[in-house]
């Protein structure tokens, strides 16, 4: 008993932290207390559809009894039907004691199985270990091919670009440049990305928008006001709310949530970082392929630069043509190739070290960096742009994290990639110590003559693979930004049935190919392309540093000294590099900067227009009072069938529904408002995808369904399967609603006329210790154990009374009648009602706003992929109506 009391006490204490003091009306509001009488989405709600200041819940009750006498009672967190349905997360109410018990049962089962038949258990164990080892080996090869191709090909051009800006005047210059490269490799890819940034992933998702999604979960910084309290109940949220002891985290959270300027600034940083990633996807293929093909100049003396450009164009066309075959298929093929390439780098490096000069190992002393800048001053500063090229592809490790685990990326980089790169650069420097004039093609000049052609072949294949690295990262970032409403919808092809993160975007693939060809043909020099490369890479690096710093402050809640050290060291280093590449922007690299600005404007305009459209729909939503005045027939004819009205509102009746009522001669006997809503998590489990609520009184037969998706989820449900799941979920919702009615009516039967008893008639203590107010629908199902004990204790008392209770009989009849109505409506057919809402700027708006909304946003919306393409619905089941909003 003591253990049970302690357990229950722990549950009650944990819930007590979420409970609050609220005012309880002295007089019951029949409309508010009756389940199903409206969402509360009427004119009394806030204009922007945000939380009501009156009670802090998503939906405000009717304000008809504002003057009624109230009392202060302590309840649990006030929740609506959306919140309670979200509580049905598997394991949401499990405490540590239950988890320990289940783990103990599993351990006991394994021990019994081992004792009963040790040979079978050992055989199965060995088989699983063998399969696991093979899988890890295969995963390591794919990691090399997908993630590290870009950084692995950096030795092809790093020293060549550096010494084009700071020519070699002695061995000290070689040592200084090598020392600068070595410590840049250690600081940026190893310490910053591998050891720190990779841990800031969003449940395995990396990239700029994954960081933004992570921040949005912990602070309400999204500019789109469609958040619901139930979103935080999704199991994949794993929300760690800043504790009261850490005032810094709470102040930052409050500041971010209350400042519109900071929200816009944060979004602009994210969009800038994403645009740089896309620009990186353009310049990476151009730089990698041009530098690899340029090796022909060393092997064939008569080849010219124009011929190098033509061969590079052919390679790029082939590269982007095989992109559609997916990451896993291509990764298995290119993984061993990259492994051979890294082994070649290490082998050539060791050969040159032993043959030429092992004294280059002195470059690990950072004093040579000081000597390098002292000897070359301004030229050394210019060469920083070339030094940065040794870490290109570092952001790809984070952006492509969705394909692999953090640990696999870390181990592969530390034990394979980094040692091979260090040996490769040491070998090149050893060769240059005795060959100061071969800096134009430093890598290929240092390759032994007997191995030149095999290495040239492997390097070109590796360059093609490196080009795919940022292309894959670009696809991931666009998918994330589209789901979060910051990029126009595009066709996304999922190339793997097993791994839903492996995608291919045809439009972006050919878009990147076109601009890569333009870059190669327009800027044929790898030195100018290298400067453009540095601009794109540094842009996304700086945005990542800022966002990870915010994650450290808000979410990780670590020591402020560590946070400041991270921000100052890496942001200062990246700003120093950025100043170097910006100084040479006039050499032709301005093209890539202009490209990034155009992408940024496209994303910002799309987000701005989508935000205006949503806010206008919230303001112009239909009044609940108007709908009730129309009556159950809604002022028209109700034809048999189910109408699924798709809209973007998570709350309220969309204005497009009134347009349907006035345009169509009849509406369906059952209406369901379906809202497709993306939440800031990678994946929403199927069991937690749908939330339901009744709109208006029961006789109206109007419901709301919010279908929640993560930015990594696939929206390709078959419409028949979707309809069946929808109907089954609604039936379950109605049954639980009826169960709650009976619970509330049972509580009302025991009411007395005393004030104290009346105050407790609207409060329910659940078996798990939670305290809820019955002023809102409580639709959660209790635990099986609690339910069985309750049935056992009341079966002898309730059942005899139920046979004679006319109220319960009426409730059962009402339930069966409504379920029968739904089945008949389903048999009559399901029709999808789609409203195309366009926006136009008002005549008195600013000229810039008219230009952005009426032309740019309208052009993007007209040419993007419509949402109907993801529904897979026959055209015979579609009814579409257009509506224009003035903003």
């Amino acid at each position: 008993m003591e253990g049970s009391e302690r357990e229950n006490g722990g549950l009650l204490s944990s819930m007590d932290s979420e409970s609050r003091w609220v005012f309880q009306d002295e007089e019951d509001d029949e409309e508010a207390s009756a389940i199903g009488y409206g969402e509360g989405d009427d004119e009394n709600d806030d204009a922007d559809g945000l939380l009501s200041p009156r009670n802090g819940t998503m939906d405000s009750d009717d304000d008809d009894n504002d003057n009624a006498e109230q009392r202060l009672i302590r309840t649990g967190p006030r929740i609506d039907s959306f919140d309670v349905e979200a509580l049905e997360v598997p394991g949401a109410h499990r405490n540590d004691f239950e988890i320990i018990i289940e783990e103990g049962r599993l351990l006991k089962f394994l021990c019994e199985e081992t004792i009963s038949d040790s040979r079978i258990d050992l055989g199965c164990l060995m088989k699983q270990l063998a399969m696991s080892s093979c899988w890890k080996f295969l995963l390591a090869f794919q990691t090399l091919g997908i993630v590290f191709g870009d950084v692995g090909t950096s030795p092809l051009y790093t020293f060549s670009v550096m010494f084009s800006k700071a020519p070699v005047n002695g061995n000290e210059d070689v040592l200084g440049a090598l020392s600068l490269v070595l410590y840049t490799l250690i600081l940026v890819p190893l310490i910053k990305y591998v050891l720190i940034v990779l841990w800031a992933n969003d449940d395995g998702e990396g990239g700029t928008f994954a960081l933004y999604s992570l921040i949005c979960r912990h602070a309400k910084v999204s500019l789109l006001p469609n958040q619901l309290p139930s979103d935080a109940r999704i199991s994949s949220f794993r929300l760690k709310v800043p504790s009261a002891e850490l005032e810094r985290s709470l102040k930052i959270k409050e500041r971010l949530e209350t400042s519109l300027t900071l929200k816009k600034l944060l979004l602009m940083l994210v969009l800038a970082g994403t645009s740089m990633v896309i620009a990186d996807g353009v310049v990476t293929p151009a730089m990698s392929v041009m530098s690899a093909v340029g090796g022909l100049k060393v092997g064939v003396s008569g080849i010219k630069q124009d011929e190098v450009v033509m061969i590079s164009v052919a390679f790029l066309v082939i590269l982007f043509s095989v992109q559609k075959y997916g990451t896993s298929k291509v990764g298995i093929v290119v993984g061993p190739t990259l492994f051979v390439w890294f082994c070649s780098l290490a082998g050539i490096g060791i050969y040159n070290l032993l043959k030429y000069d092992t004294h280059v190992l002195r470059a690990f002393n950072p004093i040579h960096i000081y000597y390098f800048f002292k000897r070359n001053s301004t030229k050394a500063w210019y060469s920083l742009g070339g030094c940065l090229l040794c870490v290109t592809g570092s952001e790809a490790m984070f952006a492509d994290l969705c394909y692999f685990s953090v640990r696999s990326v870390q181990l592969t980089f530390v034990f394979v990639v980094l040692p091979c790169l260090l040996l490769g650069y040491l070998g090149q420097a050893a060769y240059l110590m005795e060959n100061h004039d071969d800096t134009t093609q430093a890598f290929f000049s240092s390759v032994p003559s007997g191995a030149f052609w095999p290495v040239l072949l492997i390097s070109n294949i590796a360059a093609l693979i490196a080009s795919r690295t940022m292309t894959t990262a670009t696809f991931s970032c666009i998918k994330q930004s589209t789901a979060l409403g910051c990029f126009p919808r595009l066709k996304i092809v999922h190339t793997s049935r097993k791994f839903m993160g492996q995608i291919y975007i045809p439009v972006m693939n050919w878009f990147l190919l076109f601009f890569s060809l333009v870059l190669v043909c327009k800027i044929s020099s790898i030195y100018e392309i290298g400067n453009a490369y540095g601009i794109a890479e540094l842009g996304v690096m700086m945005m990542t540093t800022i966002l990870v710093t915010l994650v450290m402050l808000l979410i990780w809640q670590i020591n402020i000294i560590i946070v400041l050290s991270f921000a100052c060291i890496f942001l200062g280093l990246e700003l120093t590099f950025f100043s170097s590449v910006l100084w040479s922007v006039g050499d032709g690299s301005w093209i890539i900067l202009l490209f990034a600005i155009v992408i940024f404007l496209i994303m910002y305009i799309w987000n701005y227009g989508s935000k205006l459209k949503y806010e206008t729909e919230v303001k112009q939503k239909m009044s609940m009072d108007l709908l009730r005045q129309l009556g159950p027939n809604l002022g028209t004819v109700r034809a048999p069938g189910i109408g699924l009205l798709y809209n973007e509102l998570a709350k309220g009746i969309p204005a497009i529904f009134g347009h349907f009522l006035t345009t169509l001669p009849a509406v369906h006997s059952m209406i369901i408002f379906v809202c497709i809503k993306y939440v800031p998590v990678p994946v929403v489990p199927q069991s937690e995808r749908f939330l339901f609520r009744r709109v208006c009184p029961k006789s109206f037969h109007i419901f709301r369904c919010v279908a929640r998706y993560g930015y990594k989820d696939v929206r390709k449900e078959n419409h028949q399967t979707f309809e069946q799941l929808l109907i089954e979920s609604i039936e379950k919702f109605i049954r639980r609603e009826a169960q709650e009615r009976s619970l509330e009516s049972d509580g009302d039967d025991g009411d007395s006329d005393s004030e104290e008893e009346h105050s407790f008639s609207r409060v329910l203590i659940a078996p798990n210790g939670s305290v809820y107010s019955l002023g809102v629908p409580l639709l959660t199902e209790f635990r099986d154990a609690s339910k069985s004990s309750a049935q056992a204790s009341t079966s002898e008392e309730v059942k005899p009374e139920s046979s004679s209770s006319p109220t319960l009989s009426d409730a059962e009849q009402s339930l069966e009648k409504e379920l029968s109505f739904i089945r008949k409506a389903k048999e009559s057919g399901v029709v999808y009602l789609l409203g195309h809402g366009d926006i136009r700027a008002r005549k008195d708006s600013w000229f810039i706003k008219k230009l952005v909304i009426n032309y740019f946003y309208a052009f993007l919306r007209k040419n993007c992929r419509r949402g109907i393409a993801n529904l897979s619905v026959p055209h015979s089941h579609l009814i579409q109506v257009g509506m224009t909003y003035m903003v």
Side-chain angles (χ1 to χ4, degrees), residues 276 388 534-536 538-539 542 573-583 593:
M276 288 295 181
L388 175 71
I535 291 176
L538 278 170
M542 289 189 294
L573 182 65
E574 289 157 1
L575 285 173
T576 303
F577 279 112
F578 197 62
S579 65
S580 175
V581 296
L582 278 184
W583 190 261
L593 191 60

Side-chain angles (χ1 to χ4, degrees), residues 138 141-147 318-338 404 461 464-469 472 495-496 502-504:
L138 180 63
F141 269 126
Q142 288 196 3
T143 307
L144 283 175
I146 303 303
V147 177
I318 295 174
L319 166 70
F320 283 95
S321 298
V322 301
Q323 189 76 36
K324 62 182 179 181
Y325 293 107
T327 301
S328 58
K329 298 175 184 177
V330 179
I332 295 174
V333 176
V334 303
T337 306
L338 258 296
F404 309 100
I461 298 176
L464 294 175
I465 296 169
S467 303
R468 294 192 70 262
T469 302
T472 304
T495 59
S496 175
Q502 299 184 4
I503 59 175
Y504 165 69

Side-chain angles (χ1 to χ4, degrees), residues 190-363:
L190 179 61
I191 297 179
K192 177 186 174 182
Y193 280 92
V194 172
L195 299 182
I196 300 176
V197 174
L198 288 184
W199 292 113
N201 64 86
D202 184 16
D203 288 341
E205 288 288 319
T208 310
F209 262 96
L211 288 173
Y212 183 63
S213 171
L214 191 64
I215 295 171
C216 286
R217 290 216 302 275
H218 290 78
K220 298 175 182 178
V221 296
S222 177
L223 293 177
L224 198 64
N226 65 343
Q227 298 88 3
L228 290 174
S230 55
D231 294 340
R233 306 288 188 178
I234 300 175
S235 57
S236 54
F237 250 72
R238 298 176 184 174
L239 196 61
K240 178 186 176 183
V241 180
S243 60
E245 293 78 15
L246 298 176
E247 296 183 4
R248 183 191 71 221
S249 298
L250 290 172
K251 289 180 179 179
I252 294 174
K253 180 175 183 293
E254 181 181 2
R255 182 64 176 167
L256 285 174
E257 293 179 347
T258 55
S259 175
L260 181 61
T261 302
L262 288 179
K263 290 181 181 180
K264 290 182 177 179
L265 179 61
L266 180 61
L267 178 64
M268 292 177 68
L269 289 175
V270 173
L271 297 183
T274 306
S275 63
M276 288 295 181
V277 171
I278 299 175
D280 211 352
V282 171
V283 72
T284 297
M287 185 67 182
S288 301
V289 174
M290 281 281 291
S291 58
V293 176
L296 290 173
K297 292 183 178 180
V298 178
V300 182
S301 58
I303 196 168
K304 298 180 180 179
Q305 182 64 24
D306 292 341
E307 296 172 347
V308 172
V309 171
M310 293 178 62
I311 296 174
S312 301
V313 168
F315 278 5
L316 287 174
V317 172
I318 295 174
L319 166 70
F320 283 95
S321 298
V322 301
Q323 189 76 36
K324 62 182 179 181
Y325 293 107
T327 301
S328 58
K329 298 175 184 177
V330 179
I332 295 174
V333 176
V334 303
T337 306
L338 258 296
F339 181 75
V340 173
W341 166 250
F342 280 111
C343 292
S344 301
L345 284 178
I348 295 171
I350 295 173
Y351 172 82
N352 288 329
L353 277 173
L354 297 177
K355 181 179 179 180
Y356 295 103
D357 192 354
T358 58
H359 289 89
V360 294
L361 295 175
R362 292 179 298 169

Side-chain angles (χ1 to χ4, degrees), residues 642-646 660 668 718-720 723 826-834 868 871-880:
I642 299 177
L644 303 181
L645 178 59
Y646 279 78
F660 273 107
H668 299 83
N718 180 274
H719 73 97
Q720 295 177 346
E723 294 168 7
K826 175 64 171 63
E827 293 175 358
S828 299
V830 178
V831 176
Y832 292 75
L833 309 175
L834 303 179
I868 185 177
L871 298 178
S872 302
V873 179
H875 290 283
S876 59
H877 292 195
L878 288 175
I879 297 179
Q880 303 183 49

